[in-house]
Amino acid sequence: MSEKKIEKQKKSFDIRNYKPGDELAICALFEKVFGKPMGKTESLRHWRWEFLENPAKPIAIKLAWDGNRLVGQEAANILRFYSQGKEYLALLIFDTMTDPDYQGLGIFTETAKIFYKDLSEKGYAFVYGFPNANVIYARTKKLDWKIIYDTPICVRPLDTGGFVRERTKSVFLGKCASIFSKKVFGALRSNKTRDTLIEIRKEKKFDTWANELWDKCKNQHKLWAVRDYKYLSWRYDMRPESNYDLYTAWGNNILAGYIITTEINRKEGKIVFIADILADNKVNGVVDRLLNAVIQESINKGATMISSMVMPNSVYKSAFRKKLFIKLPRILMPQEIHFGAYSLDNGLSKEFLYDADIWHISWGDTDLL
């Protein structure tokens, strides 16, 4: 160990809550650690949206300082969760970071422990997140997180040629996979639901109609983030680099559901992600029609596949299966991610919280898109 590192190790770090103005140092540390801006092109505007404009207050960030130098952060978005008639405040953990010059000194775990203790004393119910290979050991072994479920990513193949070519480095296998997938999955383009009274519309943004739909649907799952207009408009419409498509389903001019998608170009081709879906399951065929719309639009855009998160007891699971969404094997995942949580012992039992069957999680509930 270098002399410089020994000196740092002997120091005690100042671990405190965020103060106005700290965002400049936070953005600078993010860009140093991850080598990119927080948003697609810049950091500060994205940070302000993520924290200052979040309708759930206050800001939840714990920072570690070495004098005037920011060296670590544990941050979270405060979100309202609904469970069986009650709302709880919970937190999505993300943007955990330590200055590369200070790694290995225990800053990450020390900051997190102080952060969680503070959150528990303030009455928050739990923290959750999607730890990758870099932090899963620390989360589970040092911070007592429980991995609830290997991230339930399901994909609907459209044209797997680029995906197979990228994974196998074989142009021939890529061409074969492209021909096969187009023939097998392309044949489903004309699938129609028997309920022809459902109208699909493409919207520019959310409106207050989202509140009525949420009230109809909020008891479909036992634990999930509140999906009302206040949340949805912040999460999707107000996001600075937002590039989401919003489809709604209407029956007799009454909103029956919506689905949100976004697309990302990768080496293996364009992938369409279903950020969220909410549908009144008392209306026959609404999920089918929404998925049909996304599949057709994705084919028109030349996408290689559609990706969605589908939890074990999702009320939409059978509709996804019907449309040939299949669980992505771990070996084919571009990176190792898991779904986990840590109980803060306020209102929800650990037995309940750590049960995968009670959760509904979508890509929009993550910090990954």
Side-chain angles (χ1 to χ4, degrees), residues 243 263-273 301-303:
N243 64 338
E263 55 195 69
I264 297 177
N265 290 312
R266 294 185 170 167
K267 291 181 180 178
E268 57 267 25
K270 181 180 294 182
I271 300 177
V272 172
F273 292 86
K301 291 179 177 179

Side-chain angles (χ1 to χ4, degrees), residues 184-202:
V184 172
F185 296 101
L188 297 174
R189 292 186 217 181
S190 60
N191 263 15
K192 301 291 183 182
T193 179
R194 284 175 289 179
D195 191 340
T196 58
L197 298 178
I198 296 173
E199 177 191 0
I200 300 297
R201 304 176 189 172
K202 200 167 183 181

